Amino acid sequence: MSGLELPLLTLALLVAASFVAGWVDAVVGGGGLIQLPALLIGLPSEVPVATIAGTNKLPSFLGTATASATYLRSIRVNWSLAWPLLAMAAVGSAVGAQLTHFLPRQHFTPLVLLAVVSVGWYTWRRPHLGLHGHVKHTGNDARLRMAAIGLVVGAWDGFIGPGTGTFFVIALVSIIGHDFLASSALAKLANLTTNAAAIVAFALTGNILWGLGLLMGAANLTGGFLGARTALKQGNTFVRKVFLLVVTALAVKLAWDTWFSYLG
């Protein structure tokens, strides 16, 4: 575990959190909003932000890879639009990963909370958003927008991390006009790219706990496989409901953590 000793109960809880995160991430994205807070709580306070973020990327990558393969067997991807998204997501993620060295640990939670509340409110106010595809942009206009989404959300993934899949989904639904299932498939591919880029960046600086990351990764990929199959079976309405439920629960949890962090 790279010199880090953890109690067995803590390790079991981290593995369980990673399984749930993999399931949620495969359905609608945002699994990192479960997994990263679990690492923040479970790992000792002396573990730096960069190491927490780097370790979080490893199970996320494994789970997302499994979910991506499951989606690609059932959903057709327009690769001419997907490539700009994936390429710029990798660039954004690599740059964002370097910024984690300058972010104090106590500022992680309020940033994530703000993002979660904003996305949840936007989706809740639009009950028909993502239930049916209404593509708004085509050609070079669509490619440019896909590249911009990839760069911005990719930078968030490398810098902060949690919620990346959710932000990819909501951007593809609201800006491009895809439905939730198509957006989830593209989000998985983009998230896979950003995770890979961030893992390389964190590995080069020695900021990954490989033993813990691989153990959590086994749980995450199992959850990712089951989550993707559930989403494909249940459809867009189910995905939207899970999206709102997860966002609400996490917003309450993060608000609680933020309150006590600043009071304490």
Side-chain angles (χ1 to χ4, degrees), residues 97-241:
Q98 301 307 313
L99 299 178
T100 61
H101 298 282
F102 307 100
L103 181 69
R105 180 167 172 169
Q106 65 268 26
H107 297 329
F108 244 43
T109 303
L111 282 174
V112 176
L113 173 61
L114 177 63
V116 169
V117 171
S118 299
V119 169
W121 176 257
Y122 181 86
T123 306
W124 180 71
R125 293 285 295 172
R126 292 161 176 78
H128 300 294
L129 184 70
L131 297 183
H132 304 283
H134 299 287
V135 177
K136 304 174 185 177
H137 306 282
T138 58
N140 289 332
D141 184 34
R143 294 185 185 94
L144 182 62
R145 292 171 189 272
M146 294 286 269
I149 292 170
L151 182 64
V152 173
V153 182
W156 169 270
D157 185 51
F159 183 41
I160 304 296
T164 298
T166 306
F167 299 144
F168 270 127
V169 169
I170 202 64
L172 292 168
V173 168
S174 60
I175 296 174
I176 305 300
H178 292 310
D179 62 34
F180 268 115
L181 280 179
S183 296
S184 291
L186 279 171
K188 292 294 149 294
L189 292 171
N191 212 172
L192 186 65
T193 304
T194 59
N195 283 336
I199 284 173
V200 172
F202 284 121
L204 289 174
T205 56
N207 287 117
I208 297 179
L209 300 172
W210 291 98
L212 177 61
L214 289 171
L215 188 60
M216 295 175 66
N220 196 295
L221 68 86
T222 303
F225 173 73
L226 295 175
R229 287 176 63 87
T230 303
L232 290 169
K233 181 179 180 180
Q234 299 296 331
N236 286 309
T237 302
F238 172 78
V239 173
R240 184 180 187 277
K241 289 178 180 177

Side-chain angles (χ1 to χ4, degrees), residues 109-111 113 253-263:
T109 303
L111 282 174
L113 173 61
K253 173 64 169 63
L254 291 167
W256 179 274
D257 291 346
T258 301
W259 176 264
F260 279 95
S261 172
Y262 282 92
L263 282 183

